[in-house]
Amino acid sequence: MSVISVIIPIYNASRYLPRCLDGILEQTFTKWQLLLVDDGSTDCSLDICNDYANKDNRIKVFHKENEGVSIARQYGLDKVCTPYFIFCDADDYVEPDYLEKLYDAITSNCADMVICRYKEEYKTRTVIPELPETDINGLIHNFLNDKVWGITWNKLYRIDITKQHNIQFIPGLQMWEDLSFTIDYLLQAHKIAFVQKPLYHYVMYNEGSITRHEDFKKKNDRIIAIRHIEQSMRDANVLKVFHESLVIDKYHIISVTYKGYGKQRRKYFLNAFPEIFDDQYFKKKHFIIYILIKTHSIRLLYFKYLYDTILKWLRKRIKALFIK
């Protein structure tokens, strides 16, 4: 009997898909079912999925029209009939004890979610981000402050929590659909656990990956996601707890104005969260930006961006010299 459902949304991933699927087949924990959601691929991804399904009856293949990653994730989630579930991206791969370590941690700690470290794999180097161990509120703060990613593929979830509280992915989002889902989930959870061993390989050199390309829509998705998160926190009566982190995140989103997009789109982003410009915490944290906004000197924001970029580069170079 299966205990964990692994959900893999797939779109034109034929180049990387066999390695990803082989990683699941090689798991030391064998009580899994694999839900492959082909989101209207135009390459041979669906054929690869069917070939693997013919070899192992734990693999289920679903083919649907292309509607984007958020709907594909939800499609797979709706098919889950096991106590636990996790997501995996089709161009990534996992360690053989990926499921075993996560399952042991969530059951031994009686947790509602367990999170593991991962490796960011670039063409010439590998980075293993830190994973600070906190309580649930601390983890949400870390998500909003970009200290920990809210991605779904290094987190094991319980299906009963999503069903009881009707936790779903926001349809149509290409970015931060995972962050909003994970925070919605954590607002209903009671305990989390951590695995410090890197169990997931996040492949950063796939140029076709959706997260490698930024555009107006994806940045706008972040506005939708953060508004959704804010409402969820309001419904859970915890908005005050996360107020400062939300302000930081909102400012992070509107800071896209530094990089251009033209006058109209700069204005659009600046109007996305008008409430932060009169917020006392924002005034204290970003006083220069506050003055520029209030004096209608939007065009000067780009020079502030250049200043911050140069300063960041100098600090990095100085740090590298001391390390040597």
Side-chain angles (χ1 to χ4, degrees), residues 72-220:
R73 290 193 196 280
Q74 186 62 48
Y75 187 97
L77 182 58
D78 290 339
K79 304 295 182 183
V80 172
C81 57
T82 56
Y84 304 98
F85 67 92
I86 196 168
F87 292 88
C88 183
D89 285 353
D91 50 353
D92 299 332
Y93 62 104
V94 298
E95 290 291 310
D97 55 349
Y98 171 62
L99 297 179
E100 180 183 358
K101 293 292 186 184
L102 291 171
Y103 179 74
D104 287 347
I106 203 169
T107 53
S108 63
N109 290 283
C110 297
D112 298 320
M113 175 193 286
V114 61
I115 308 169
C116 70
R117 293 178 75 182
Y118 59 90
K119 296 181 179 181
E120 294 179 359
E121 295 195 355
Y122 300 86
K123 287 185 177 180
T124 59
R125 62 193 175 96
T126 298
V127 176
I128 304 177
E130 294 295 324
L131 180 60
E133 298 194 18
T134 65
D135 60 9
I136 289 176
N137 284 358
L139 182 60
I140 294 175
H141 281 299
N142 284 340
F143 286 154
L144 295 175
N145 295 332
D146 204 28
K147 293 180 179 179
V148 176
W149 283 7
I151 34 78
T152 54
W153 36 250
N154 69 334
K155 300 171 181 67
L156 186 63
Y157 304 82
R158 285 174 42 188
I159 192 63
D160 60 333
I161 291 179
T162 63
K163 289 184 176 180
Q164 181 180 350
H165 300 283
N166 193 31
I167 300 169
Q168 299 187 7
F169 289 90
I170 302 173
L173 293 193
Q174 291 179 290
M175 297 293 288
W176 285 17
E177 86 290 341
D178 44 10
L179 176 65
S180 58
F181 176 87
T182 300
I183 290 181
D184 278 353
Y185 183 95
L186 286 171
L187 290 175
Q188 305 300 331
H190 298 287
K191 187 177 181 181
I192 53 176
F194 298 84
V195 174
Q196 289 298 336
K197 179 181 178 181
L199 299 173
Y200 192 93
H201 296 259
Y202 179 39
V203 178
M204 302 291 286
Y205 50 81
N206 173 15
E207 296 300 325
S209 173
I210 190 170
T211 58
R212 311 298 186 269
H213 304 280
E214 287 285 346
D215 58 21
F216 176 78
K217 162 124 183 16
K218 297 185 183 98
K219 286 186 168 68
N220 191 59

Side-chain angles (χ1 to χ4, degrees), residues 257-258 263 266-267 270 277 287-305:
T257 56
Y258 296 165
K263 184 177 180 180
R266 286 200 302 269
K267 185 177 180 181
L270 285 172
F277 300 124
F287 183 72
I288 295 176
I289 304 300
Y290 169 74
I291 295 299
L292 292 176
I293 294 295
K294 289 301 180 180
T295 57
H296 304 285
S297 302
I298 297 175
R299 63 187 180 278
L300 297 179
L301 287 172
Y302 184 72
F303 295 101
K304 176 64 168 60
Y305 163 71

Side-chain angles (χ1 to χ4, degrees), residues 6-18:
V6 181
I7 305 167
I8 304 182
I10 299 162
Y11 179 72
N12 290 353
S14 59
R15 181 179 177 183
Y16 303 95
L17 189 54

Side-chain angles (χ1 to χ4, degrees), residues 259-271:
K259 301 180 181 180
Y261 271 136
K263 184 177 180 180
Q264 291 302 316
R265 286 190 173 180
R266 286 200 302 269
K267 185 177 180 181
Y268 174 82
F269 277 99
L270 285 172
N271 289 334

